Amino acid sequence: MSLEETIRNQPPFDVLPTWRKSVIICCIGMAVVTGALTFNRDMNIYGGAPDHPVVTTGQIFPVSVNHGSTRYVTQREKDSFDFWAANAGLLVGGPFLLAFFIWITYRPRLKR
């Protein structure tokens, strides 16, 4: 069976074994929470960081948030921002993909 046929003929959620349902729900929950944390961090920087460098507070490192708005943060905040910017796709998309493949690879046993 091809991947396209597997995707089109996936089993309904209610027939999955309990462990598959649990893993799928946990993966989706983890992806949503990680995405929300990333969004919250961006909005905190957008709302709280200055739009010009402030040497006295150490907020001299530019970051681009909210679709291109430049804000200035400290080195520690910039390092955290860079980490999340580089890994957010993996940390959000990875669990979704795992949940998707756990769901579509289930095949009920044939009764003989």
Side-chain angles (χ1 to χ4, degrees), residues 38-109:
T38 302
F39 176 77
N40 184 44
R41 181 192 44 79
D42 280 0
M43 290 300 105
N44 283 342
I45 291 174
Y46 180 71
D51 61 353
H52 57 281
V54 179
V55 178
T56 57
T57 60
Q59 293 173 309
I60 56 173
F61 300 95
V63 294
S64 179
V65 294
N66 200 14
H67 305 289
S69 181
T70 302
R71 296 292 189 252
Y72 291 86
V73 296
T74 62
Q75 178 67 49
R76 183 176 177 186
E77 291 170 324
K78 176 148 176 51
D79 291 343
S80 173
F81 182 85
D82 290 342
F83 170 79
W84 284 102
N87 296 310
L90 178 64
L91 295 173
V92 173
F96 270 120
L97 280 175
L98 179 62
F100 174 72
F101 283 116
I102 286 176
W103 188 340
I104 69 165
T105 57
Y106 175 70
R107 293 290 163 245
R109 293 183 184 215

